Amino acid sequence: MGIREELERIRTEALKGLASAEDEKSVEEIRVKVLGKKGELTAILKQMGSLPAEERPAAGREANMVRSEIEKALSDALDSVRKKMRDRRLAEETVDVTMAGRAPARGTLHPVSIVTEDLIDIFRSMGFDVVDGPEVETERYNFEALNVPADHPARDMQDTFYIGDGLLLRTQTSAAQIRTMENRTPPIRIVSPGRVCRADELDATHSPVFHQMEGLVVDKGITMCDLKGTLERFAQEIYGADTKVRFRPSFFPFTEPSVEVDVSCSACRGEGCRVCKGSGWIEILGAGMVHPKVLRDCGIDPDVYSGFAFGIGLDRLATTRYKISDIRLLFENDLRFLKQF
Amino acid sequence: MKVSLSWLKRYVDINVPVKELCDKMVMAGFEIEEMTDMSETMSNVVAGRILDIKKHPDSDHLLICSVDVGGDSPVQIVTGAQNVSVGDLVPAALHDSRLPNGMHIKKGKLRGEESNGMLCSGGELMLTESDYPGAEVNGILILKKDSVAPGTDMRSVLGLDDCIIDFKVTANRPDCQSVIGLAREVGAVLGTPFRVPETAYKTAGGDIGDYISVEVRNFDLCPRYYGRAVKNVRIAQSPEWLKRCITAAGMRPINNMVDITNFVMLETGQPMHAFDLSDVRGGKIIVRNAAEGESITTLDGKVHKLTPDMLVIADGEAPSCLAGIMGGIESEIEDDTVNVFLESAKFRRDSVRKTSRSLGVRTESSGRFEKGVDIINVEYAMERALSLIYELDAGDIVDGVIDRNEGLPGARLLEAEVNRINALLGLNIPGETMRDILCSLKIPTDLEGGILKCRIPSFRDDMETVADVAEEVIRIYGYGHIKGTPMHGEVLRGRKEDDRIKADKIKDVLRSCGVSEIYTYSFVSGKLADMLELGENDPRRDAVRILNPLGEEYSVLRTQLTGSMLTVLGTNFSRKNDRARLFELSRRFVPKQLPVTEQPDEIPTLCIGMYGPEEDFFTLKGTVEKVVSAFAAKTQTVRADEPYLHPGRSAVTMINGKKAAVYGEVHPDVAARFGVECRCYVAEVDLSVLYEIPPRRITYKPLPKFPAVNRDIAVVCSEDVTAAALEECIAGGAGKLLEKAELFDVYRSESLGESKKSVAFSLTLRADDRTLNESETSEIMDRVLKKLSAIGAELRG
């Protein structure tokens, strides 16, 4: 058989074999058989030297063409079998996508912490510093300096836990107002979240331990409109951009004028529903302009400076946000409750 | 403060529907606790005149009545009552009527005879004798002869065409604990005329001095005591209008004399008291502190032991009245009372409050004294009472007044700049408008040169500063005028305190470890110390006690968080939650001395608690280390000695010689005591130790350029050699070239021998500037093994 015929045979056989190759191994076998050290085509190429000089160029060209054709076929066949195998594997790996997912368990924050953090974020964005105060307070910081005189009913043992002469568990984070005003000079802009205690028996809506966030702003030219603007921003961040804020007159010893602050009911958009008891409004906090006596008592001249203060009930904010019907759940710490947040 | 709409209307014109009135009062600072439209209690019940009565042909006890109910022709109503006669005026519930007791009346047939409704008894209309005479007789209520025309709605006959509004009055407005005070507000809110009732009466001669003398021994607690005498009192029922007023306010009519004092209290806000003069021994009244050992039986029949801080109204012998709170049973007004002494006084509010609280007696009177009464109004209230006594012919007024006081305050002038008020409110209200508002609130005010000159009446003691004037102006002007302005001025930093930032970081680390946050009370049971088996001298037993706790369970400020955590683990275990990883970040309270004279230290503390199939000592330790490593680079772990922890599975983390964390498996006895019936784990971390560590600055370390060499070794040593000791040897032997040494296996077997263990480490060695070669590595390993050998840890053969 001449070289030409031999080359043609190798080419035909190789291409045929590759066309039917099912896996990488068969492809490799064909490569070794044809192009390996002892391969058929390799052998022919080695023989080239023994050909008559005039035949050599044509035969060489021919042989190289066959080789590159086979090399390409080998590479294509390899791609093809790899793809086939990959497709088969992928098909086998099909899972039931409706089965439950898995993720590393992450712990949850207490709902009161969540609302506290949210409020801190909102007020920090308005330039409020966050300060903390002690849970055990003196009568001076909790009452006297807040313009609650000694004969005021709020100072009764019935409402306040006392631990010693003039020492008590703070009943309001407002105590932080005084500490701040004594330690800083205006302009002052702070919020002070924290734990407070009142001698309330525990029931679905009362807890002897609860949490508040006090806000205080003192500067030159602070007005009630500033108070409203600040609370509007807060309310709109918490309850939605279309929330309206309403002031109603009220009384707190340390602010004058004092207001209850209502927001438009988000459940009915102010139309009146069960949530807001038909009024269209929900009471969320108490606020007012810092009483001139309080300012003066903290060494701030009320003829020069004015300010506003507000107090937000954090537990109540949490229970309303998450529709928690019983405040006791906040302190029972059942994991089935905690894991929902 | 409950008041009927009709009562308010006696003093002020109300030109809007009641709903609108309520809304406007809310916006002026008077929340509405409740509004009851009494006309809703019954419908379609009218006064009817009985024209004819026939026996029922088919019944012994039924009567067939023909009743004029105001229509064109009489209606037939069958009744079972026997007390009706022709000509009687009776309440007739017509077809489709509703009664206050919930009955719905329809026409029907009674034993074949048509009945177009029902004649009503007082009981069926839920009336008592004091609502309408005859209401409690057995049978149909017979109305007063010819008092109303047939067909008149029974609601107007009974005064039920009225609303009762319960106003919430804030603590700064004691003047509004009265109908007159509320009417004054209504007048300002609606802009309608307000009238204070006139007083007018004639006296019947005599001199009060012949009946009684009054001595006030404590003007501090009783700044004013005012009295008048009434002789020949004629005790009777009060007229309907008066009864209705006090019933609407939630009080019970008794007799004309008592009712008048109650009416005046509700009307003017000034509590009054009437003494039967025949029961005032020695003809004298002494306002004094109770003597040690004295007691009094009050009107409600209860005996109270008195203490010297309590103010009483005594006669010549003993206390006959708890000042401002309740009268004594002995001097009570009764049907045979002839002469009466009337008291109108001001008692100090905290004195009344303290006595009322400590005796557990709260009355309409004490409530008003606690909030504060107007010292000037004391006299007006008496004048009103005398006018009513005269008007109702309830007795003859004796001449002469007793007025004991140490001087009465004069008019007070409060000046407020219009500009200051506008600056505070952020508005631009004209001075004239402000003046008019103040005048409408009966605060006589002049406007002079931009200054409001307010003559503060005695009933507005709360008005002291410009801010008070601003509040009066804006609450009537309307808070709706306040428009929100965004915060302006210098931009301030919104900063968190460092400790809060650190706490946030800890919470984040813990959450990423699957630990959830809990909140528990700051006060706990004093028994927790015993439940944790703390030693007798353990400083954690020195807890601050609450003087007035809600109960033993909440009686001390906690000195550790572990007790609360174990309680919560117990709750979760009992609720069949099969695993728990919890933390609390709070404070513990360490007194500087006991009993406390200053604020205790509040030490930020973290508590972690766990149980469940995945947990063991090392999951807890790993979690604690995650937290600690956020702060400190170097820590030391030693065994703990805590009575509530497993002695072999508990440890302390030391940082710079300070205890930073104590943790471990909970002692099974203690766990069981808290209701956790499986292995559980608890850690308490003193955050004050972590917080004081200077924050670590992160400095980038170049990535290694040369490959590392890994070598595994296993050494056999005795059980008491700790992993930490072995690691120390490895570090010492390998020196700077040791990148890390990880313990990956601990193995025990008989062949190793008793109390022996094999511990395997994987060492990573690396140099910054070259690839370590074989001989260098061997040299290092030799040094390591030598060090290990020195503490009795030999390479395992």
Side-chain angles (χ1 to χ4, degrees), chain B residues 242-508:
Chain B
L242 196 153
K243 284 190 197 171
R244 273 178 208 148
C245 284
I246 57 179
T247 309
M251 296 188 81
R252 202 162 49 88
I254 293 170
N255 59 47
N256 52 359
M257 196 54 74
V258 175
D259 293 352
I260 285 168
T261 61
N262 284 335
F263 179 88
V264 170
M265 170 178 70
L266 295 166
E267 184 187 55
T268 67
Q270 171 62 47
M272 301 197 65
H273 189 68
F275 297 81
D276 185 332
L277 271 171
S278 65
D279 296 322
V280 178
R281 290 159 295 191
K284 55 180 167 182
I285 290 268
I286 303 163
V287 184
R288 61 166 169 84
N289 291 64
E292 194 73 61
E294 277 186 324
S295 65
I296 186 172
T297 307
T298 43
L299 281 172
D300 53 3
K302 291 193 178 124
V303 183
H304 301 281
K305 283 198 171 143
L306 305 177
T307 52
D309 58 320
M310 297 174 177
L311 192 71
V312 297
I313 315 300
D315 59 16
E317 294 177 14
S320 56
C321 183
L322 284 172
I325 300 171
M326 195 183 272
I329 201 157
E330 284 177 15
S331 57
E332 188 183 8
I333 304 298
E334 285 166 307
D335 289 351
D336 60 355
T337 298
V338 179
N339 296 330
V340 161
F341 174 68
L342 281 173
E343 163 201 293
S344 176
K346 178 175 172 72
F347 301 112
R348 215 172 87 173
R349 48 190 226 172
D350 54 335
S351 159
V352 172
R353 190 179 87 245
K354 279 178 187 153
T355 306
S356 155
R357 290 276 165 99
S358 61
L359 297 179
V361 186
R362 290 194 59 111
T363 57
E364 290 276 346
S365 166
S366 70
R368 283 179 174 76
F369 281 117
E370 281 179 27
K371 291 182 180 80
V373 301
D374 170 11
I375 196 162
I376 302 298
N377 193 38
V378 162
E379 184 178 342
Y380 172 75
M382 180 65 81
E383 292 291 294
R384 266 302 276 163
L386 296 177
S387 303
L388 286 167
I389 288 169
Y390 183 74
E391 185 186 325
L392 303 184
D393 193 31
D396 302 326
I397 297 155
V398 176
D399 275 310
V401 172
I402 289 170
D403 187 3
R404 301 274 177 267
N405 64 75
E406 288 191 318
L408 300 173
R412 209 156 43 88
L413 188 69
L414 176 57
E415 295 194 354
E417 245 182 276
V418 170
N419 287 345
R420 276 290 295 282
I421 293 173
N422 277 325
L424 201 57
L425 300 174
L427 296 178
N428 204 1
I429 306 172
E432 291 75 16
T433 308
M434 295 189 186
R435 180 197 57 206
D436 294 347
I437 286 172
L438 292 163
C439 289
S440 77
L441 287 163
K442 306 302 165 199
I443 301 168
T445 302
D446 295 318
L447 178 64
E448 288 172 23
I451 295 172
L452 295 161
K453 300 196 166 174
C454 313
R455 291 188 297 285
I456 305 298
S458 59
F459 58 82
R460 290 306 303 269
D461 258 359
D462 59 302
M463 301 272 296
E464 293 180 319
T465 65
V466 176
D468 296 306
V469 180
E471 176 163 81
E472 292 310 291
V473 168
I474 187 63
R475 80 184 171 87
I476 301 298
Y477 188 67
Y479 273 109
H481 289 95
I482 303 262
K483 300 284 177 238
T485 49
M487 286 300 295
H488 50 82
E490 188 187 333
V491 176
L492 299 171
R493 303 170 295 178
R495 250 173 43 104
K496 287 189 188 185
E497 285 177 337
D498 283 351
D499 284 4
R500 181 171 285 276
I501 295 170
K502 290 171 183 169
D504 288 349
K505 190 165 160 186
I506 292 173
K507 287 186 181 188
D508 196 45

Side-chain angles (χ1 to χ4, degrees), chain A residues 113 129 132 136 156 195 226, chain B residues 485 493 500 519-520 599:
Chain A
S113 286
D129 284 356
D132 288 309
V136 174
D156 221 87
R195 171 168 283 202
D226 299 328
Chain B
T485 49
R493 303 170 295 178
R500 181 171 285 276
Y519 272 36
T520 64
Q599 286 161 283

Side-chain angles (χ1 to χ4, degrees), chain B residues 5 72 122 124 129 134 138 176 208 217 236 282 333 338 348 371 388 396-397 444 506 510 532 562 693 701 771 796:
Chain B
L5 191 62
D72 293 340
E124 281 155 345
E129 207 55 41
N138 184 18
C176 289
I208 190 167
R217 288 191 186 158
I333 304 298
V338 179
R348 215 172 87 173
K371 291 182 180 80
L388 286 167
D396 302 326
I397 297 155
I506 292 173
L510 286 165
L532 293 171
T562 296
I693 297 168
K701 199 176 154 214
T771 304
R796 195 171 152 204

Side-chain angles (χ1 to χ4, degrees), chain B residues 49 51 65-77 94 116 150-151:
Chain B
R49 177 174 283 121
L51 302 176
C65 303
S66 172
V67 187
D68 174 4
V69 293
D72 293 340
S73 53
V75 296
Q76 175 171 310
I77 295 175
L94 303 179
N116 294 297

Side-chain angles (χ1 to χ4, degrees), chain B residues 30 107 266 297 435 478 483 523 545 569 744 749 756 771:
Chain B
F30 298 88
K107 65 182 173 188
L266 295 166
T297 307
R435 180 197 57 206
K483 300 284 177 238
F523 34 73
R545 299 202 77 81
L569 290 182
F744 68 90
S749 79
K756 292 274 185 192
T771 304

Side-chain angles (χ1 to χ4, degrees), chain A residues 6 44 59 67 80 83-84 94 112 126 193 234 242 249 271 285 291 295 303 327:
Chain A
E6 186 64 14
I44 289 181
R67 183 169 70 176
S80 155
K83 185 176 183 308
K84 259 190 230 161
T94 300
V112 174
M126 287 189 268
F234 149 74
D242 56 350
E271 303 273 312
L285 58 90
H291 200 292
L295 288 174
D303 292 330
I327 198 169

Side-chain angles (χ1 to χ4, degrees), chain A residues 107-108 113 124 129-130 132-133 135-136 151 156-157 160 162 195 224 226 256 258 293 333 335, chain B residues 353 424 464 468 471 482 485 493-495 500 511 516-517 519-520 522 547-548 572 575 587 599 602:
Chain A
T108 53
S113 286
R124 283 181 74 194
D129 284 356
V130 186
D132 288 309
E135 284 179 43
V136 174
D151 64 348
D156 221 87
M157 292 281 274
T160 306
Y162 281 88
R195 171 168 283 202
M224 260 197 132
D226 299 328
E256 188 76 35
S258 300
K293 278 192 207 168
N333 303 300
L335 261 164
Chain B
R353 190 179 87 245
L424 201 57
E464 293 180 319
D468 296 306
E471 176 163 81
I482 303 262
T485 49
R493 303 170 295 178
R495 250 173 43 104
R500 181 171 285 276
R511 275 200 297 157
S516 293
E517 188 183 22
Y519 272 36
T520 64
S522 307
L547 301 178
N548 54 330
N572 277 285
R575 294 186 180 182
R587 302 171 181 183
Q599 286 161 283
E602 298 183 17

